[in-house]
């Protein structure tokens, strides 16, 4: 065994919005490798449209920077709990981890998860207390919280002398004393070089590499990314591809790349410890092992935590099918979903009893909403059913997934938070008052979280901030309250008319505007009461020759409630669907005709 001292492989892990991508921006700008024009804007690595629109990292990304003769491979990871599968994969490529903590928020639910995965992989952590420029920052307390968390997760051998640094990625400095601002990120880079070990490699052994990430190019097809575990690899070399089920096939490497700065550069050879991208393997999957010819020695396949939430994906069967999208058939939907499995290891897809629908399971609503949003932007039309949690049978009893929920809210608005979480079977574990804000931690069933975010925001005038993280499976609780209001269901097809909507808005919130196309069975608003109401939104005023004072009042309509995709998925009930097209998101009943819905209701009594 040998150690490569001129190379460092690190992964940046943190809770969502604690500054990982902003820190990478800062390191890029201070590396001296780029012109100012090459590093425009913020969150440079959040390159795809959805990441920029949502303001979060969705996919892990690799860059490499030189520092004092040492090449530092940096892997940026998502911080949102729904994309934990990305973190679980890429920690296998690193030797050390930068654990970022917000100087005000401190340890959060996802912090525990990502640190536990880093410690399981044997990584050396460096604690970075970021955002020390925040007025409400408490950097020393947060450092103590990190110490306690490391002890709690079994890192006693690391806790005695774990390296740490304070930083403000926004202001571009790191420092060993939060009271003394620095002028660069040099203290952090020095810690990386000093405390993160170079990769320990077996140079003379046969070539061996685990594929942890797949990329795609329309020119060369699949690109396998991973860290060379042993030996060396050359461009043009033949290899044995070890896949699931002990299958072994022969393949050839057509191109070999290593990471440099923001991109990749083609090389002729890479050694053990390098993170590489390999072109030419058509059938490669995440978790496969690449071995030298006639030296088959597969590494343990990647395992990630199981999904906790499931939705039913089916073709769009509304009267408007095919008007916006290019892909509308069951075959096209099936091909696209199973193609997603190649890169999204936390996803599960199962056939259902009907040929035109599929049960798609993921880590949470956002995890599946990102898939749906990508599909609609690619030109797909589909319908999505109500999210359901995935239960298990343990010793003859039903167990359901539970989550750790953290809520930050102004203290005077904490009452509605307790009321809403309590009625959804949430139990408070911890409460802390910091200044004008209260921080509370709850244990709550995963199904109790569906729709909770919208209700919390409404009850607290938009001031509540909530985060959650999967905790484990526990015995199932009683019923969780469903939506308290019924909906307005159109009985006609056509276009919405202002005259009809004016009479409906007196007893409902509308989801449509005048001129919007509607069809029979489409949901056009929320009823003020708990029952569904069949309405005619296209009813026009009867015109006569008679005119009277006051009979032609101007119609003033409230703006309709426009739902995001995530909000729509949380809103629907068991007998409803979300219709997704490239141009629209609509709510509808599964049974479009009123007579069919009545017949179905009678059969269930």
């Amino acid at each position: 065994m040998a150690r490569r001292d001129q190379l460092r492989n690190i992964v940046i892990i943190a809770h969502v919005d604690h500054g990982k991508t902003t820190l990478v921006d800062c390191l890029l700008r201070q590396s001296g490798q780029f012109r100012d024009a090459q590093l425009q804007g913020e969150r440079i690595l959040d390159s795809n449209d959805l990441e920029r629109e949502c303001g979060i990292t969705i996919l892990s990304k690799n860059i490499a920077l030189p520092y004092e003769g040492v090449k530092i491979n940096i892997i940026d990871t998502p911080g949102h709990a729904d994309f934990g599968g990305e973190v679980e994969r890429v920690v296998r490529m690193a030797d050390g981890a930068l654990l970022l903590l917000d100087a005000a928020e401190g340890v959060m639910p996802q912090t525990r998860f990502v640190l536990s995965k880093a410690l399981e992989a044997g990584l050396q952590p460096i604690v970075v207390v970021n955002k020390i420029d925040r007025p409400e920052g408490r950097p020393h307390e947060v450092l103590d919280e990190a110490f306690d968390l490391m002890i709690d997760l079994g890192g006693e051998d690391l806790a005695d002398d774990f390296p740490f640094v304070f930083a403000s990625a926004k202001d571009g400095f790191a420092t060993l004393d939060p009271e003394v601002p620095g002028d660069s990120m040099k203290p952090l880079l020095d810690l990386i070089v000093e405390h993160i070990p170079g990769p320990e490699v077996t140079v003379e052994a046969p070539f061996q590499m685990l594929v942890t990430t797949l990329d795609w190019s329309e020119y060369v097809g699949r690109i396998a990314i991973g860290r060379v575990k042993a030996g060396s690899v050359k461009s043009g070399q033949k290899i044995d591809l070890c896949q699931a089920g002990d299958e072994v096939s022969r393949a050839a490497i057509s191109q070999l790349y290593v990471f440099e700065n923001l991109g990749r550069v083609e090389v002729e050879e890479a050694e053990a410890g390098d993170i590489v991208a390999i072109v030419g393997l058509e059938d490669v999957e995440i978790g496969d092992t690449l071995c030298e010819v006639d030296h088959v020695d597969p590494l343990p396949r990647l395992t990630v935590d199981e999904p906790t939430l499931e939705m039913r994906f089916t073709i769009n069967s509304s009267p408007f099918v095919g008007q916006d999208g290019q892909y509308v058939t069951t075959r096209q939907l099936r091909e696209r979903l199973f193609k997603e499995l190649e890169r999204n290891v936390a996803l599960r897809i199962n056939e259902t009893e009907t040929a035109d629908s599929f049960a798609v399971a993921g880590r949470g609503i956002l995890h599946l909403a990102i898939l749906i949003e990508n599909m609609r932007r690619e030109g797909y039309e589909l319908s999505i059913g109500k999210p359901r949690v995935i239960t298990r049978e343990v010793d003859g009893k039903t167990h359901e997934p539970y989550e750790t929920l953290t809520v930050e809210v102004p203290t005077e608005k904490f009452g509605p938070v307790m009321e809403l979480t309590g009625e959804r079977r949430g139990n408070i574990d911890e409460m802390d008052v910091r200044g004008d804000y209260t921080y509370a931690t709850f244990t709550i069933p995963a199904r109790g979280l569906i729709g909770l975010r919208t209700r919390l925001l409404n009850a607290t005038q938009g001031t509540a901030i909530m985060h959650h993280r999967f905790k484990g499976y526990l015995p199932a609780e009683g019923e969780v309250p469903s939506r308290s209001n019924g909906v307005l269901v159109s009985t006609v097809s056509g276009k919405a008319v202002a005259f009809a909507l004016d009479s409906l808005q007196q007893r409902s919130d509308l989801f449509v505007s005048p001129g919007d196309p509607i069809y029979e069975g489409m949901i056009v608003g929320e009823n003020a009461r708990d029952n569904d109401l069949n309405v005619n939104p296209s009813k026009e005023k009867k015109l006569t020759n008679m005119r009277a004072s006051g009979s032609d009042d101007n119609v003033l309509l409230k703006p309709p409630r426009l739902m995001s995709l995530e909000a729509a998925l949380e809103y629907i009930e068991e007998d409803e669907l979300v219709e997704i097209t490239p141009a629209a998101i609509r709510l509808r009943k599964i049974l479009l005709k009123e007579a069919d819905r009545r017949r179905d209701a009678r059969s269930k009594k």
Side-chain angles (χ1 to χ4, degrees), residues 8-27:
R8 300 290 187 274
N9 295 323
I10 63 169
V11 60
I12 301 182
I13 55 177
H15 186 78
V16 65
D17 202 30
H18 279 197
K20 297 180 301 303
T21 308
T22 306
L23 177 67
V24 174
D25 287 357
C26 187
L27 294 174

Side-chain angles (χ1 to χ4, degrees), residues 178-450:
E179 305 300 327
V180 183
D183 56 5
S184 73
M185 282 291 170
K186 189 175 185 302
L188 173 59
L189 293 169
D190 288 338
L191 278 181
I192 292 172
V193 173
E194 180 183 352
H195 290 279
I196 302 295
E200 195 174 43
V201 297
T202 310
V203 181
E204 302 300 328
F207 166 61
Q208 191 182 39
M209 176 187 131
L210 181 69
V211 178
T212 53
T213 305
L214 280 184
D215 202 353
W216 169 265
S217 166
E218 58 184 82
Y219 302 107
V220 299
R222 296 190 192 186
I223 303 172
I225 298 173
R227 170 177 158 177
V228 180
K229 176 75 172 175
S232 61
V233 59
K234 296 180 180 180
S235 181
Q237 175 180 333
K238 290 188 179 298
I239 55 101
D240 280 337
L241 176 61
C242 307
Q243 299 188 286
D246 297 327
E247 292 187 12
V248 180
S249 59
R250 188 67 49 87
I253 297 171
S254 58
Q255 291 174 292
L256 179 67
Y257 293 87
V258 296
F259 291 89
E260 185 174 301
N261 298 333
L262 274 173
R264 307 174 187 141
V265 293
E266 189 170 0
V267 295
E268 288 300 315
E269 184 176 8
E271 299 177 357
D274 286 327
I275 296 177
V276 300
I278 293 176
V279 175
L281 312 178
E282 294 184 4
D283 301 321
V284 67
E285 304 280 356
I286 290 176
D288 292 351
T289 301
L290 311 185
C291 298
E292 193 163 315
V293 172
D294 297 329
H295 288 83
V296 175
D297 183 17
L299 294 164
R301 291 190 70 84
L302 287 167
T303 58
V304 298
D305 292 344
E306 290 296 313
T308 58
L309 196 73
E310 184 180 85
M311 296 182 194
R312 186 68 64 96
F313 282 48
T314 185
I315 59 171
N316 182 15
S317 57
S318 84
F320 294 164
V321 60
Q323 293 185 5
D324 301 330
Q326 181 181 357
Y327 308 109
V328 298
T329 66
T330 302
R331 178 184 59 82
Q332 292 165 335
L333 174 62
R334 187 182 193 281
E335 289 176 355
R336 176 61 180 84
L337 287 176
F338 281 92
K339 182 181 178 182
E340 185 70 19
L341 287 178
E342 296 175 2
R343 297 178 60 178
N344 199 334
V345 295
L347 203 68
R348 300 288 184 274
I349 299 173
N350 295 307
E351 309 274 2
T352 65
E353 64 280 0
T354 56
D356 61 355
S357 66
F358 305 88
V360 182
R363 291 287 184 86
I365 287 181
L366 182 60
H367 183 204
L368 296 175
I370 293 295
L371 167 61
I372 297 167
E373 183 64 30
N374 280 325
M375 291 177 66
R376 72 182 288 235
R377 293 184 183 202
E378 294 167 11
Y380 286 84
E381 291 191 13
L382 61 157
S383 298
I384 311 296
K386 180 179 174 62
R388 298 190 183 106
V389 297
I390 300 173
T391 58
R392 293 179 179 175
E393 288 292 325
V394 179
D395 297 330
K397 294 184 179 179
T398 301
H399 283 54
E400 64 177 329
Y402 272 71
E403 307 252 346
T404 297
L405 169 69
T406 301
V407 180
E408 173 190 350
V409 68
T411 302
E412 69 271 13
K413 300 185 186 300
F414 186 62
V417 174
M418 286 294 296
E419 180 181 351
L420 286 169
T421 52
E423 71 181 18
R424 288 167 171 265
R425 306 285 176 175
N427 295 316
I428 190 165
D429 299 326
E430 189 178 339
M431 187 174 73
D432 184 21
V433 178
R434 302 174 193 161
D436 296 332
Y437 284 80
T438 295
Y439 294 74
T441 303
F442 301 85
T443 296
I444 188 170
R447 59 194 166 100
L449 289 173
I450 299 174

Side-chain angles (χ1 to χ4, degrees), residues 9-297:
N9 295 323
I10 63 169
V11 60
I12 301 182
I13 55 177
H15 186 78
V16 65
D17 202 30
H18 279 197
K20 297 180 301 303
T21 308
T22 306
L23 177 67
V24 174
D25 287 357
C26 187
L27 294 174
L28 288 170
R29 290 193 168 95
Q30 293 187 17
S31 67
Q33 302 296 304
F34 305 93
R35 301 186 306 274
D36 290 342
Q38 292 177 278
L39 302 176
Q40 293 295 322
E42 298 178 348
R43 302 192 310 277
I44 297 163
L45 289 194
D46 287 349
S47 52
N48 73 48
D49 293 339
L50 273 180
E51 288 181 321
R52 292 207 170 276
E53 291 170 20
C54 298
I56 59 174
T57 301
I58 297 171
L59 302 172
S60 60
K61 302 174 188 69
N62 299 60
I63 64 168
L65 296 176
Y67 178 70
E68 296 185 352
V70 177
K71 178 182 179 180
I72 304 176
N73 283 315
I74 301 174
I75 308 166
D76 185 27
T77 63
H80 198 284
D82 285 14
F83 306 109
E86 289 283 314
V87 180
E88 294 176 72
R89 287 194 289 113
V90 300
V91 292
R92 301 278 287 272
M93 292 195 287
D95 298 294
L98 296 186
L99 175 66
L100 261 68
L101 295 169
D102 189 302
E105 294 184 358
V107 171
M108 299 292 281
Q110 183 71 354
T111 310
R112 171 179 290 271
F113 170 77
V114 294
L115 182 57
S116 68
K117 295 301 177 184
L119 295 179
E120 285 176 18
L123 305 190
Q124 167 66 52
I126 293 178
V127 176
V128 182
V129 181
N130 193 28
K131 302 189 181 183
I132 61 172
D133 54 299
R134 291 184 63 171
E136 67 274 31
R138 45 190 188 94
H140 290 294
E141 292 180 40
V142 169
L143 190 61
D144 291 340
E145 291 178 10
F147 176 83
D148 294 339
L149 178 61
M150 203 168 298
I151 294 291
D152 192 29
L153 293 176
E156 296 87 350
D157 53 329
L158 301 171
D160 291 339
D161 186 28
F162 71 89
F164 62 88
V165 68
F166 302 95
S168 172
K170 180 181 176 183
D171 294 336
F173 70 84
T175 177
L176 299 177
D177 185 351
E179 305 300 327
V180 183
D183 56 5
S184 73
M185 282 291 170
K186 189 175 185 302
L188 173 59
L189 293 169
D190 288 338
L191 278 181
I192 292 172
V193 173
E194 180 183 352
H195 290 279
I196 302 295
E200 195 174 43
V201 297
T202 310
V203 181
E204 302 300 328
F207 166 61
Q208 191 182 39
M209 176 187 131
L210 181 69
V211 178
T212 53
T213 305
L214 280 184
D215 202 353
W216 169 265
S217 166
E218 58 184 82
Y219 302 107
V220 299
R222 296 190 192 186
I223 303 172
I225 298 173
R227 170 177 158 177
V228 180
K229 176 75 172 175
S232 61
V233 59
K234 296 180 180 180
S235 181
Q237 175 180 333
K238 290 188 179 298
I239 55 101
D240 280 337
L241 176 61
C242 307
Q243 299 188 286
D246 297 327
E247 292 187 12
V248 180
S249 59
R250 188 67 49 87
I253 297 171
S254 58
Q255 291 174 292
L256 179 67
Y257 293 87
V258 296
F259 291 89
E260 185 174 301
N261 298 333
L262 274 173
R264 307 174 187 141
V265 293
E266 189 170 0
V267 295
E268 288 300 315
E269 184 176 8
E271 299 177 357
D274 286 327
I275 296 177
V276 300
I278 293 176
V279 175
L281 312 178
E282 294 184 4
D283 301 321
V284 67
E285 304 280 356
I286 290 176
D288 292 351
T289 301
L290 311 185
C291 298
E292 193 163 315
V293 172
D294 297 329
H295 288 83
V296 175
D297 183 17

